[in-house]
Amino acid sequence: MTTASEAAEDRVTFSTASPFPILGIETSCDETAAAVVIDGTRVASSVVSSQVDLHARFGGVVPEVASRAHLDLLGPVVAETLVEAGLTGPDVGAVAATVGPGLVGALLVGVSAAKAYALAWGVPFVGVNHLEAHLYAAFLEEPDLEPPLVLLLVSGGHTLLVAMEGHLRYRLLGGTIDDAAGEAFDKVARLLGLPYPGGPAIDRLAMNGDPEAVRFPRAMRDEGYDFSFSGIKTSVLTYLRKHPDVAAADVAASFQEAVVDVLVTKARRAAREVGATGICLAGGVAANSVLRERVLDACIADGLRPFVPNRTMCTDNAAMVAATGWWRLRHDGPTPLSAGADPGLHFPGL
Ligand code: KG4
Ligand code: ZN
């Protein structure tokens, strides 16, 4: 039987003789990150410089502030990651950078720098899709992960349920018709007076709350694979207006419970219908404690393998970009230097 990774090997168009270190660069939003990953799986170094404090006082990411901070931080972050990996620039086999989706100004900083490094060192440049990179974060820890898998990608900008049929081969099952899951966390956090970013703040507060305190709606839970999270945000607002003295922890826990219930119910049903061997969790919201716990429980109950990357790999980082760069370089070859950033890039092939 040909395994999915062997099928992907069949289509190799660019040979990467081992050990093949790739420098990854990530600047799509508010993390300036660089990492060196060897052969697509071994993280030699990973440096993430978060701009969270810079944006916190504005209650969200300010694109212009993010671009300027990336400009200041990227050089030192790349230098640090190379030193930690024990490499000099020309030792790397390729430079991979996130080309989208994300904030256009922020993306351009990483893409331009990656092309300049690639030119200076005489190595290929590889443009990486940020959403696919979130998925490949799971392969860094579980290199033997074998499709078919169901991928639940939940971030600040996206909520996708995807059937991964082989390496770099996907089929879209569903997505959000309005807000992304992370966006719902961030908006509800603001209603509760919690600081930016809202997801981790709700996660922490919910630990002291009762998830059964309020029954918030589970939109479209038992129909299809699309999601809708704008209604729950309105329900929380209405509830807070009617019950101004409610314990914020109870609202946080009940809101989180409803979102996780919908996400896990759909991922589980998708895994059954697709005949998947496992469920792979990816994106910033995959750092959520209750979501992680429920996916693990569901996989145990259904005889599936759970692929839940550690928390630092769930949120934006460059190791996932370098790992994806390795797969893409082998499959598609180098990306032309004329290719630009694409802020609205979709999940590959969907
Ligand atoms: O993937 P990511 O780092 O950036 C994007 O590509 O969007 O995801 C950021 C999102 C934010 O909405 C943030 O609130 C959410 O992930 N997030 C969480 C948690 N940690 C981050 N949401 C719920 N619980 C968490 N622990
Ligand atoms: Zn992300």
Side-chain angles (χ1 to χ4, degrees), residues 130 134 155-157 182-183 185-186 197-200 203 283-285 287-288 314-316:
H130 182 82
H134 271 301
S155 70
E183 198 178 346
F185 269 93
D186 294 334
D203 197 350
V285 181
N288 184 267
C314 290
T315 45
D316 290 349

Side-chain angles (χ1 to χ4, degrees), residues 105-289:
L107 288 166
L108 278 172
V109 176
V111 171
S112 312
K115 288 179 183 171
Y117 287 127
L119 263 179
W121 300 335
V123 299
F125 161 70
V126 196
V128 167
N129 183 310
H130 182 82
L131 302 173
E132 187 172 43
H134 271 301
L135 161 64
Y136 271 84
F139 283 82
L140 282 168
E141 288 166 32
E142 310 269 359
D144 63 337
L145 184 140
E146 278 299 341
L149 297 169
V150 159
L151 161 69
L152 176 61
L153 174 61
V154 272
S155 70
H158 296 83
T159 304
L160 290 175
L161 204 50
V162 175
M164 183 185 191
E165 297 175 331
H167 275 283
L168 314 175
R169 281 195 293 124
Y170 313 101
R171 184 162 57 88
L172 177 67
L173 299 173
T176 182
I177 59 167
D178 41 53
D179 291 352
E183 198 178 346
F185 269 93
D186 294 334
K187 287 178 175 170
V188 167
R190 211 168 303 156
L191 296 177
L192 291 171
L194 299 173
Y196 161 87
I202 289 197
D203 197 350
R204 276 193 301 275
L205 181 65
M207 285 174 190
N208 303 315
D210 173 8
E212 309 291 326
V214 191
R215 176 85 191 171
F216 287 120
R218 272 85 164 144
M220 300 160 73
R221 190 187 74 165
D222 301 309
E223 311 142 32
Y225 293 122
D226 283 337
F227 300 88
S228 167
F229 293 113
S230 70
I232 190 166
K233 173 196 62 193
T234 313
S235 297
V236 171
L237 177 63
T238 311
Y239 189 88
L240 288 172
R241 284 196 178 138
K242 278 195 191 148
H243 307 86
D245 298 326
V246 66
D250 285 348
V251 176
S254 301
F255 158 77
Q256 181 173 266
E257 181 68 25
V259 172
V260 169
D261 182 13
V262 173
L263 292 173
V264 176
T265 303
K266 284 185 189 269
R268 231 173 145 167
R269 180 154 42 83
R272 219 171 22 243
E273 285 182 26
V274 162
T277 56
I279 295 178
C280 180
L281 197 53
V285 181
N288 184 267
S289 344

